Amino acid sequence: MKVYRGYVHQQKIVVFGHVLRRSPLPRQKYRQNFWINSFSLLRLFMMRPVSGATVKANGIREDVRFITEKDGFFRLEWTSDEPIAPGWHPVKVDLITENLGPENPVATGEGEVYRSHSTQYGFVSDIDDTFLISHSANLRKRIHVMLSENAHSRDPFEDVVRHYQLLARAETDANAPNPFFYVSSSEWNLYDYILTFCEKNDMPDGIYLLSQIKRFREVWKTGQNKHVTKFARIVRILEAFPEMKFVLLGDDTQEDPNIYTSLVQHFPTQIRCVYLRRVHKDNEVRTQGFVDQIIAAGVPCCYFKHSAEAIRHSARIGLVEKPEVKE
């Protein structure tokens, strides 16, 4: 039972995960060795999902169940009987069968859900080439860096962690940080890998909404496609938190500019600002066209190469306090 980080909105708890017959063992050691890193990465795609299994929310009066999809995925949602305080809260999900009944689960998975503080802003961020250097526009380079590096040796862009930490405290403080939702075309196979990277590099805690898992034969397709579902995942967040203004952060390697422009068109009053990292030179002209559309809609947009530029922009529009920025 794999239970991912979920969230709470308007007393509704949303939690999701996978039921797997075989899943990767947690990595205990990180060494700069190509073969160890390659095997560990490939092992993330040696999964055997269980479809048609019944999962149930543990420890609540309401009988909330879900039959897992073809890829073993489940999504549970229910309304809490008690008020939920801001912050992280543990949740459990049981795998049950008709023979044993709900009182005797076959397996139980543990996860967390986050109830955001009453803050003004929420942040939706892509992952690959937005804050994690991934070479998404070049399949050969992307596969090479994934096979040769690990979650401890991979690098974020310069100053990106500083920018995100400033955004987490925009119009609030460290005791009541703004919520972050990391929405990516990377697959659920990479959940622990990405979570480890973010924790090691002090990225703001957040909820991860990734793409459908891939099997071993599809490793070479990792991070590709699923852009339509990415739009739908972000829409679900915006609709769940209608009182919040959102900042969107992405890059120009794939479809973020197109997706974010569509979101501005559909939610013009809810998008505070858009940030797009300038990574892929061949996409600059196309991306600039989307940037112009976003600005024409009345939403600030920063198309930047270095995060120091994004920090200055955030300060200029009053999103964050003016920090001392390295030149």
Side-chain angles (χ1 to χ4, degrees), residues 209-251:
L209 300 168
L210 308 182
S211 289
Q212 186 177 32
I213 64 171
K214 283 187 169 68
R215 306 300 294 274
F216 183 76
R217 62 182 178 273
E218 301 174 297
V219 171
W220 67 277
K221 295 181 181 179
T222 179
Q224 306 299 307
N225 304 316
K226 302 300 180 187
H227 302 303
V228 174
T229 65
K230 182 174 182 177
F231 175 83
R233 279 175 276 153
I234 299 174
V235 167
R236 191 175 293 132
I237 295 168
L238 298 180
E239 292 178 340
F241 299 92
E243 74 287 355
M244 273 188 185
K245 298 278 189 178
F246 277 85
V247 174
L248 311 177
L249 302 107
D251 60 85

Side-chain angles (χ1 to χ4, degrees), residues 34-47:
F34 177 84
W35 299 111
I36 292 176
N37 289 334
S38 295
F39 177 77
S40 297
L41 186 280
L42 294 174
R43 183 68 179 83
L44 298 178
F45 291 83
M46 297 178 187
M47 291 183 169

Side-chain angles (χ1 to χ4, degrees), residues 280-301:
H280 190 43
K281 188 173 181 61
D282 291 347
N283 288 346
E284 288 186 0
V285 173
R286 177 174 180 262
T287 300
Q288 187 61 53
F290 288 119
V291 171
D292 293 341
Q293 291 182 53
I294 293 170
I295 294 174
V299 175
C301 183

